[in-house]
Amino acid sequence: MNYHFRYQKILDVKENEKKKSTKAYEESVEQFTKVANKLYESLKKKEELTKLQQEKLTKGISVHEMKHYQQFVQNLEKTIEHYQQLVIFTRNNMNEKHAILMEKHMEVKKYEKMKEKEYKRFLDQEKKAERNLMDELSMNMYSFQRN
């Protein structure tokens, strides 16, 4: 007798949802990483520019060049602020996707556990039926031998 899990279709659907959630989470992690790297690059660029500006100040710099550096730093600060907001947004999105993934994972685990228990019951019933059959056969053999 073959075993068939009565909720197999539901389990398949839940596993499919979990796969989709995993993919969405991985994409959100990738997006977060990209944005975080851009933020890091912008901060690094600002740090290098500030260091260069300090070196030029010690050597001497024209007012025009100083204004140019200041404006560039201001634009860089706006870019940094933009990326900081994006990092916050993408981190929240990533956390939401992770929570959904954990929920889907737990749902799949519940159905897998149900399947495991049901399969164990099925095996126990099979063994019981086999024992009953063996008992019946031995009774028939005993009866047959007595006659």
PDB file of all heavy atoms in Angstrom, residues 3-31:
ATOM      1  N   TYR A   3       1.844   5.227   0.466  1.00  0.00           N
ATOM      2  CA  TYR A   3       1.510   6.319   1.387  1.00  0.00           C
ATOM      3  C   TYR A   3       1.264   7.593   0.594  1.00  0.00           C
ATOM      4  O   TYR A   3       2.021   7.915  -0.324  1.00  0.00           O
ATOM      5  CB  TYR A   3       2.648   6.542   2.392  1.00  0.00           C
ATOM      6  CG  TYR A   3       2.466   7.784   3.216  1.00  0.00           C
ATOM      7  CD1 TYR A   3       1.511   7.827   4.218  1.00  0.00           C
ATOM      8  CD2 TYR A   3       3.221   8.920   2.975  1.00  0.00           C
ATOM      9  CE1 TYR A   3       1.314   8.963   4.969  1.00  0.00           C
ATOM     10  CE2 TYR A   3       3.041  10.063   3.729  1.00  0.00           C
ATOM     11  CZ  TYR A   3       2.091  10.084   4.723  1.00  0.00           C
ATOM     12  OH  TYR A   3       1.907  11.206   5.455  1.00  0.00           O
ATOM     13  N   HIS A   4       0.202   8.293   0.968  1.00  0.00           N
ATOM     14  CA  HIS A   4      -0.093   9.588   0.353  1.00  0.00           C
ATOM     15  C   HIS A   4      -0.461  10.563   1.465  1.00  0.00           C
ATOM     16  O   HIS A   4      -1.409  10.334   2.222  1.00  0.00           O
ATOM     17  CB  HIS A   4      -1.242   9.464  -0.652  1.00  0.00           C
ATOM     18  CG  HIS A   4      -1.623  10.784  -1.259  1.00  0.00           C
ATOM     19  ND1 HIS A   4      -0.808  11.448  -2.137  1.00  0.00           N
ATOM     20  CD2 HIS A   4      -2.721  11.547  -1.089  1.00  0.00           C
ATOM     21  CE1 HIS A   4      -1.398  12.596  -2.479  1.00  0.00           C
ATOM     22  NE2 HIS A   4      -2.559  12.678  -1.858  1.00  0.00           N
ATOM     23  N   PHE A   5       0.295  11.660   1.544  1.00  0.00           N
ATOM     24  CA  PHE A   5       0.032  12.701   2.538  1.00  0.00           C
ATOM     25  C   PHE A   5      -1.174  13.499   2.070  1.00  0.00           C
ATOM     26  O   PHE A   5      -1.186  14.043   0.972  1.00  0.00           O
ATOM     27  CB  PHE A   5       1.263  13.592   2.701  1.00  0.00           C
ATOM     28  CG  PHE A   5       1.122  14.687   3.716  1.00  0.00           C
ATOM     29  CD1 PHE A   5       0.676  14.424   5.002  1.00  0.00           C
ATOM     30  CD2 PHE A   5       1.467  15.992   3.398  1.00  0.00           C
ATOM     31  CE1 PHE A   5       0.569  15.429   5.952  1.00  0.00           C
ATOM     32  CE2 PHE A   5       1.364  17.003   4.334  1.00  0.00           C
ATOM     33  CZ  PHE A   5       0.908  16.720   5.613  1.00  0.00           C
ATOM     34  N   ARG A   6      -2.179  13.575   2.916  1.00  0.00           N
ATOM     35  CA  ARG A   6      -3.433  14.207   2.491  1.00  0.00           C
ATOM     36  C   ARG A   6      -3.315  15.711   2.278  1.00  0.00           C
ATOM     37  O   ARG A   6      -4.135  16.298   1.587  1.00  0.00           O
ATOM     38  CB  ARG A   6      -4.554  13.889   3.470  1.00  0.00           C
ATOM     39  CG  ARG A   6      -4.283  14.334   4.885  1.00  0.00           C
ATOM     40  CD  ARG A   6      -5.367  13.915   5.811  1.00  0.00           C
ATOM     41  NE  ARG A   6      -4.840  13.868   7.170  1.00  0.00           N
ATOM     42  CZ  ARG A   6      -5.569  13.779   8.228  1.00  0.00           C
ATOM     43  NH1 ARG A   6      -6.875  13.711   8.122  1.00  0.00           N
ATOM     44  NH2 ARG A   6      -5.022  13.734   9.410  1.00  0.00           N
ATOM     45  N   TYR A   7      -2.294  16.340   2.877  1.00  0.00           N
ATOM     46  CA  TYR A   7      -2.100  17.782   2.707  1.00  0.00           C
ATOM     47  C   TYR A   7      -0.912  18.086   1.801  1.00  0.00           C
ATOM     48  O   TYR A   7      -0.309  19.158   1.888  1.00  0.00           O
ATOM     49  CB  TYR A   7      -1.891  18.455   4.066  1.00  0.00           C
ATOM     50  CG  TYR A   7      -3.050  18.303   5.018  1.00  0.00           C
ATOM     51  CD1 TYR A   7      -2.898  17.660   6.237  1.00  0.00           C
ATOM     52  CD2 TYR A   7      -4.311  18.801   4.692  1.00  0.00           C
ATOM     53  CE1 TYR A   7      -3.954  17.519   7.116  1.00  0.00           C
ATOM     54  CE2 TYR A   7      -5.377  18.655   5.562  1.00  0.00           C
ATOM     55  CZ  TYR A   7      -5.189  18.021   6.767  1.00  0.00           C
ATOM     56  OH  TYR A   7      -6.228  17.875   7.622  1.00  0.00           O
ATOM     57  N   GLN A   8      -0.569  17.170   0.913  1.00  0.00           N
ATOM     58  CA  GLN A   8       0.612  17.329   0.069  1.00  0.00           C
ATOM     59  C   GLN A   8       0.510  18.573  -0.824  1.00  0.00           C
ATOM     60  O   GLN A   8       1.484  19.292  -0.991  1.00  0.00           O
ATOM     61  CB  GLN A   8       0.845  16.081  -0.791  1.00  0.00           C
ATOM     62  CG  GLN A   8       2.150  16.112  -1.571  1.00  0.00           C
ATOM     63  CD  GLN A   8       3.369  16.194  -0.688  1.00  0.00           C
ATOM     64  OE1 GLN A   8       3.476  15.477   0.287  1.00  0.00           O
ATOM     65  NE2 GLN A   8       4.285  17.084  -1.018  1.00  0.00           N
ATOM     66  N   LYS A   9      -0.659  18.817  -1.369  1.00  0.00           N
ATOM     67  CA  LYS A   9      -0.824  20.001  -2.235  1.00  0.00           C
ATOM     68  C   LYS A   9      -0.605  21.283  -1.450  1.00  0.00           C
ATOM     69  O   LYS A   9       0.026  22.219  -1.938  1.00  0.00           O
ATOM     70  CB  LYS A   9      -2.198  20.002  -2.901  1.00  0.00           C
ATOM     71  CG  LYS A   9      -2.337  18.950  -3.983  1.00  0.00           C
ATOM     72  CD  LYS A   9      -3.671  19.029  -4.673  1.00  0.00           C
ATOM     73  CE  LYS A   9      -3.777  17.939  -5.735  1.00  0.00           C
ATOM     74  NZ  LYS A   9      -5.035  17.996  -6.453  1.00  0.00           N
ATOM     75  N   ILE A  10      -1.107  21.313  -0.226  1.00  0.00           N
ATOM     76  CA  ILE A  10      -0.905  22.500   0.622  1.00  0.00           C
ATOM     77  C   ILE A  10       0.579  22.653   0.933  1.00  0.00           C
ATOM     78  O   ILE A  10       1.124  23.762   0.853  1.00  0.00           O
ATOM     79  CB  ILE A  10      -1.732  22.402   1.918  1.00  0.00           C
ATOM     80  CG1 ILE A  10      -3.222  22.399   1.601  1.00  0.00           C
ATOM     81  CG2 ILE A  10      -1.388  23.544   2.868  1.00  0.00           C
ATOM     82  CD1 ILE A  10      -4.122  22.129   2.788  1.00  0.00           C
ATOM     83  N   LEU A  11       1.234  21.550   1.246  1.00  0.00           N
ATOM     84  CA  LEU A  11       2.675  21.582   1.524  1.00  0.00           C
ATOM     85  C   LEU A  11       3.441  22.087   0.309  1.00  0.00           C
ATOM     86  O   LEU A  11       4.343  22.917   0.442  1.00  0.00           O
ATOM     87  CB  LEU A  11       3.182  20.198   1.941  1.00  0.00           C
ATOM     88  CG  LEU A  11       4.681  20.064   2.208  1.00  0.00           C
ATOM     89  CD1 LEU A  11       5.123  21.007   3.325  1.00  0.00           C
ATOM     90  CD2 LEU A  11       5.040  18.631   2.553  1.00  0.00           C
ATOM     91  N   ASP A  12       3.058  21.628  -0.872  1.00  0.00           N
ATOM     92  CA  ASP A  12       3.711  22.088  -2.104  1.00  0.00           C
ATOM     93  C   ASP A  12       3.537  23.590  -2.295  1.00  0.00           C
ATOM     94  O   ASP A  12       4.484  24.304  -2.661  1.00  0.00           O
ATOM     95  CB  ASP A  12       3.165  21.339  -3.323  1.00  0.00           C
ATOM     96  CG  ASP A  12       3.540  19.864  -3.317  1.00  0.00           C
ATOM     97  OD1 ASP A  12       4.496  19.494  -2.600  1.00  0.00           O
ATOM     98  OD2 ASP A  12       2.875  19.083  -4.027  1.00  0.00           O
ATOM     99  N   VAL A  13       2.328  24.078  -2.029  1.00  0.00           N
ATOM    100  CA  VAL A  13       2.058  25.518  -2.156  1.00  0.00           C
ATOM    101  C   VAL A  13       2.906  26.301  -1.148  1.00  0.00           C
ATOM    102  O   VAL A  13       3.522  27.320  -1.491  1.00  0.00           O
ATOM    103  CB  VAL A  13       0.550  25.821  -1.956  1.00  0.00           C
ATOM    104  CG1 VAL A  13       0.291  27.309  -1.784  1.00  0.00           C
ATOM    105  CG2 VAL A  13      -0.250  25.271  -3.121  1.00  0.00           C
ATOM    106  N   LYS A  14       2.953  25.800   0.079  1.00  0.00           N
ATOM    107  CA  LYS A  14       3.734  26.479   1.134  1.00  0.00           C
ATOM    108  C   LYS A  14       5.222  26.479   0.797  1.00  0.00           C
ATOM    109  O   LYS A  14       5.915  27.474   1.025  1.00  0.00           O
ATOM    110  CB  LYS A  14       3.510  25.827   2.505  1.00  0.00           C
ATOM    111  CG  LYS A  14       2.094  25.927   3.017  1.00  0.00           C
ATOM    112  CD  LYS A  14       1.707  27.350   3.298  1.00  0.00           C
ATOM    113  CE  LYS A  14       0.296  27.447   3.848  1.00  0.00           C
ATOM    114  NZ  LYS A  14      -0.140  28.816   4.042  1.00  0.00           N
ATOM    115  N   GLU A  15       5.721  25.372   0.255  1.00  0.00           N
ATOM    116  CA  GLU A  15       7.127  25.315  -0.151  1.00  0.00           C
ATOM    117  C   GLU A  15       7.406  26.293  -1.287  1.00  0.00           C
ATOM    118  O   GLU A  15       8.455  26.942  -1.319  1.00  0.00           O
ATOM    119  CB  GLU A  15       7.517  23.896  -0.555  1.00  0.00           C
ATOM    120  CG  GLU A  15       7.667  22.970   0.623  1.00  0.00           C
ATOM    121  CD  GLU A  15       7.927  21.524   0.235  1.00  0.00           C
ATOM    122  OE1 GLU A  15       7.648  21.140  -0.933  1.00  0.00           O
ATOM    123  OE2 GLU A  15       8.407  20.778   1.106  1.00  0.00           O
ATOM    124  N   ASN A  16       6.460  26.412  -2.206  1.00  0.00           N
ATOM    125  CA  ASN A  16       6.605  27.362  -3.309  1.00  0.00           C
ATOM    126  C   ASN A  16       6.625  28.797  -2.779  1.00  0.00           C
ATOM    127  O   ASN A  16       7.432  29.623  -3.220  1.00  0.00           O
ATOM    128  CB  ASN A  16       5.475  27.165  -4.322  1.00  0.00           C
ATOM    129  CG  ASN A  16       5.708  27.920  -5.599  1.00  0.00           C
ATOM    130  OD1 ASN A  16       6.840  28.149  -6.006  1.00  0.00           O
ATOM    131  ND2 ASN A  16       4.621  28.312  -6.253  1.00  0.00           N
ATOM    132  N   GLU A  17       5.738  29.094  -1.826  1.00  0.00           N
ATOM    133  CA  GLU A  17       5.720  30.429  -1.211  1.00  0.00           C
ATOM    134  C   GLU A  17       7.037  30.705  -0.494  1.00  0.00           C
ATOM    135  O   GLU A  17       7.558  31.818  -0.557  1.00  0.00           O
ATOM    136  CB  GLU A  17       4.563  30.539  -0.212  1.00  0.00           C
ATOM    137  CG  GLU A  17       3.202  30.611  -0.844  1.00  0.00           C
ATOM    138  CD  GLU A  17       2.070  30.588   0.172  1.00  0.00           C
ATOM    139  OE1 GLU A  17       2.335  30.448   1.391  1.00  0.00           O
ATOM    140  OE2 GLU A  17       0.906  30.711  -0.246  1.00  0.00           O
ATOM    141  N   LYS A  18       7.567  29.687   0.151  1.00  0.00           N
ATOM    142  CA  LYS A  18       8.845  29.839   0.857  1.00  0.00           C
ATOM    143  C   LYS A  18       9.967  30.140  -0.134  1.00  0.00           C
ATOM    144  O   LYS A  18      10.816  31.003   0.118  1.00  0.00           O
ATOM    145  CB  LYS A  18       9.165  28.582   1.656  1.00  0.00           C
ATOM    146  CG  LYS A  18      10.456  28.680   2.436  1.00  0.00           C
ATOM    147  CD  LYS A  18      10.784  27.388   3.132  1.00  0.00           C
ATOM    148  CE  LYS A  18      12.188  27.422   3.687  1.00  0.00           C
ATOM    149  NZ  LYS A  18      12.633  26.126   4.156  1.00  0.00           N
ATOM    150  N   LYS A  19       9.966  29.446  -1.271  1.00  0.00           N
ATOM    151  CA  LYS A  19      10.986  29.691  -2.299  1.00  0.00           C
ATOM    152  C   LYS A  19      10.897  31.128  -2.810  1.00  0.00           C
ATOM    153  O   LYS A  19      11.914  31.806  -2.984  1.00  0.00           O
ATOM    154  CB  LYS A  19      10.831  28.720  -3.463  1.00  0.00           C
ATOM    155  CG  LYS A  19      11.309  27.330  -3.159  1.00  0.00           C
ATOM    156  CD  LYS A  19      11.088  26.405  -4.347  1.00  0.00           C
ATOM    157  CE  LYS A  19      11.415  24.972  -3.976  1.00  0.00           C
ATOM    158  NZ  LYS A  19      11.123  24.045  -5.077  1.00  0.00           N
ATOM    159  N   LYS A  20       9.668  31.593  -3.041  1.00  0.00           N
ATOM    160  CA  LYS A  20       9.480  32.970  -3.511  1.00  0.00           C
ATOM    161  C   LYS A  20       9.941  33.961  -2.452  1.00  0.00           C
ATOM    162  O   LYS A  20      10.577  34.977  -2.767  1.00  0.00           O
ATOM    163  CB  LYS A  20       8.011  33.217  -3.862  1.00  0.00           C
ATOM    164  CG  LYS A  20       7.570  32.541  -5.130  1.00  0.00           C
ATOM    165  CD  LYS A  20       6.092  32.795  -5.420  1.00  0.00           C
ATOM    166  CE  LYS A  20       5.640  32.063  -6.660  1.00  0.00           C
ATOM    167  NZ  LYS A  20       4.208  32.244  -6.920  1.00  0.00           N
ATOM    168  N   SER A  21       9.634  33.677  -1.196  1.00  0.00           N
ATOM    169  CA  SER A  21      10.052  34.553  -0.100  1.00  0.00           C
ATOM    170  C   SER A  21      11.570  34.571   0.035  1.00  0.00           C
ATOM    171  O   SER A  21      12.156  35.616   0.300  1.00  0.00           O
ATOM    172  CB  SER A  21       9.429  34.108   1.225  1.00  0.00           C
ATOM    173  OG  SER A  21       8.042  34.275   1.189  1.00  0.00           O
ATOM    174  N   THR A  22      12.187  33.417  -0.160  1.00  0.00           N
ATOM    175  CA  THR A  22      13.642  33.338  -0.094  1.00  0.00           C
ATOM    176  C   THR A  22      14.261  34.183  -1.198  1.00  0.00           C
ATOM    177  O   THR A  22      15.210  34.941  -0.950  1.00  0.00           O
ATOM    178  CB  THR A  22      14.113  31.868  -0.232  1.00  0.00           C
ATOM    179  OG1 THR A  22      13.534  31.101   0.818  1.00  0.00           O
ATOM    180  CG2 THR A  22      15.615  31.761  -0.177  1.00  0.00           C
ATOM    181  N   LYS A  23      13.708  34.079  -2.383  1.00  0.00           N
ATOM    182  CA  LYS A  23      14.229  34.862  -3.511  1.00  0.00           C
ATOM    183  C   LYS A  23      14.039  36.360  -3.255  1.00  0.00           C
ATOM    184  O   LYS A  23      14.960  37.156  -3.484  1.00  0.00           O
ATOM    185  CB  LYS A  23      13.532  34.454  -4.809  1.00  0.00           C
ATOM    186  CG  LYS A  23      14.103  35.131  -6.017  1.00  0.00           C
ATOM    187  CD  LYS A  23      13.477  34.641  -7.293  1.00  0.00           C
ATOM    188  CE  LYS A  23      14.122  35.385  -8.454  1.00  0.00           C
ATOM    189  NZ  LYS A  23      13.607  34.993  -9.739  1.00  0.00           N
ATOM    190  N   ALA A  24      12.871  36.745  -2.746  1.00  0.00           N
ATOM    191  CA  ALA A  24      12.608  38.162  -2.456  1.00  0.00           C
ATOM    192  C   ALA A  24      13.563  38.669  -1.375  1.00  0.00           C
ATOM    193  O   ALA A  24      14.087  39.790  -1.471  1.00  0.00           O
ATOM    194  CB  ALA A  24      11.159  38.353  -2.016  1.00  0.00           C
ATOM    195  N   TYR A  25      13.820  37.844  -0.371  1.00  0.00           N
ATOM    196  CA  TYR A  25      14.744  38.232   0.699  1.00  0.00           C
ATOM    197  C   TYR A  25      16.157  38.393   0.148  1.00  0.00           C
ATOM    198  O   TYR A  25      16.837  39.388   0.459  1.00  0.00           O
ATOM    199  CB  TYR A  25      14.727  37.202   1.825  1.00  0.00           C
ATOM    200  CG  TYR A  25      15.772  37.451   2.876  1.00  0.00           C
ATOM    201  CD1 TYR A  25      15.687  38.557   3.718  1.00  0.00           C
ATOM    202  CD2 TYR A  25      16.854  36.597   3.017  1.00  0.00           C
ATOM    203  CE1 TYR A  25      16.657  38.805   4.672  1.00  0.00           C
ATOM    204  CE2 TYR A  25      17.827  36.842   3.973  1.00  0.00           C
ATOM    205  CZ  TYR A  25      17.730  37.933   4.800  1.00  0.00           C
ATOM    206  OH  TYR A  25      18.697  38.175   5.736  1.00  0.00           O
ATOM    207  N   GLU A  26      16.599  37.453  -0.673  1.00  0.00           N
ATOM    208  CA  GLU A  26      17.936  37.539  -1.249  1.00  0.00           C
ATOM    209  C   GLU A  26      18.083  38.783  -2.119  1.00  0.00           C
ATOM    210  O   GLU A  26      19.124  39.443  -2.106  1.00  0.00           O
ATOM    211  CB  GLU A  26      18.251  36.275  -2.052  1.00  0.00           C
ATOM    212  CG  GLU A  26      18.478  35.062  -1.176  1.00  0.00           C
ATOM    213  CD  GLU A  26      18.561  33.752  -1.944  1.00  0.00           C
ATOM    214  OE1 GLU A  26      18.337  33.744  -3.186  1.00  0.00           O
ATOM    215  OE2 GLU A  26      18.842  32.731  -1.294  1.00  0.00           O
ATOM    216  N   GLU A  27      17.042  39.119  -2.868  1.00  0.00           N
ATOM    217  CA  GLU A  27      17.068  40.329  -3.687  1.00  0.00           C
ATOM    218  C   GLU A  27      17.135  41.580  -2.812  1.00  0.00           C
ATOM    219  O   GLU A  27      17.856  42.532  -3.128  1.00  0.00           O
ATOM    220  CB  GLU A  27      15.843  40.390  -4.598  1.00  0.00           C
ATOM    221  CG  GLU A  27      15.883  39.393  -5.734  1.00  0.00           C
ATOM    222  CD  GLU A  27      14.587  39.330  -6.528  1.00  0.00           C
ATOM    223  OE1 GLU A  27      13.606  40.034  -6.178  1.00  0.00           O
ATOM    224  OE2 GLU A  27      14.554  38.567  -7.513  1.00  0.00           O
ATOM    225  N   SER A  28      16.412  41.577  -1.702  1.00  0.00           N
ATOM    226  CA  SER A  28      16.440  42.735  -0.809  1.00  0.00           C
ATOM    227  C   SER A  28      17.801  42.872  -0.139  1.00  0.00           C
ATOM    228  O   SER A  28      18.281  43.989   0.063  1.00  0.00           O
ATOM    229  CB  SER A  28      15.320  42.664   0.237  1.00  0.00           C
ATOM    230  OG  SER A  28      15.557  41.624   1.166  1.00  0.00           O
ATOM    231  N   VAL A  29      18.441  41.747   0.180  1.00  0.00           N
ATOM    232  CA  VAL A  29      19.791  41.794   0.756  1.00  0.00           C
ATOM    233  C   VAL A  29      20.760  42.367  -0.276  1.00  0.00           C
ATOM    234  O   VAL A  29      21.610  43.203   0.058  1.00  0.00           O
ATOM    235  CB  VAL A  29      20.252  40.387   1.216  1.00  0.00           C
ATOM    236  CG1 VAL A  29      21.729  40.362   1.533  1.00  0.00           C
ATOM    237  CG2 VAL A  29      19.451  39.937   2.423  1.00  0.00           C
ATOM    238  N   GLU A  30      20.623  41.921  -1.511  1.00  0.00           N
ATOM    239  CA  GLU A  30      21.479  42.422  -2.591  1.00  0.00           C
ATOM    240  C   GLU A  30      21.290  43.928  -2.781  1.00  0.00           C
ATOM    241  O   GLU A  30      22.258  44.678  -2.918  1.00  0.00           O
ATOM    242  CB  GLU A  30      21.164  41.672  -3.887  1.00  0.00           C
ATOM    243  CG  GLU A  30      22.092  41.984  -5.025  1.00  0.00           C
ATOM    244  CD  GLU A  30      21.760  41.165  -6.263  1.00  0.00           C
ATOM    245  OE1 GLU A  30      21.510  39.954  -6.112  1.00  0.00           O
ATOM    246  OE2 GLU A  30      21.756  41.743  -7.368  1.00  0.00           O
ATOM    247  N   GLN A  31      20.046  44.361  -2.770  1.00  0.00           N
ATOM    248  CA  GLN A  31      19.747  45.787  -2.928  1.00  0.00           C
ATOM    249  C   GLN A  31      20.323  46.584  -1.758  1.00  0.00           C
ATOM    250  O   GLN A  31      20.922  47.642  -1.953  1.00  0.00           O
ATOM    251  CB  GLN A  31      18.240  45.989  -3.029  1.00  0.00           C
ATOM    252  CG  GLN A  31      17.829  47.398  -3.372  1.00  0.00           C
ATOM    253  CD  GLN A  31      16.316  47.522  -3.519  1.00  0.00           C
ATOM    254  OE1 GLN A  31      15.565  46.615  -3.162  1.00  0.00           O
ATOM    255  NE2 GLN A  31      15.871  48.648  -4.022  1.00  0.00           N
TER     256      GLN A  31
END
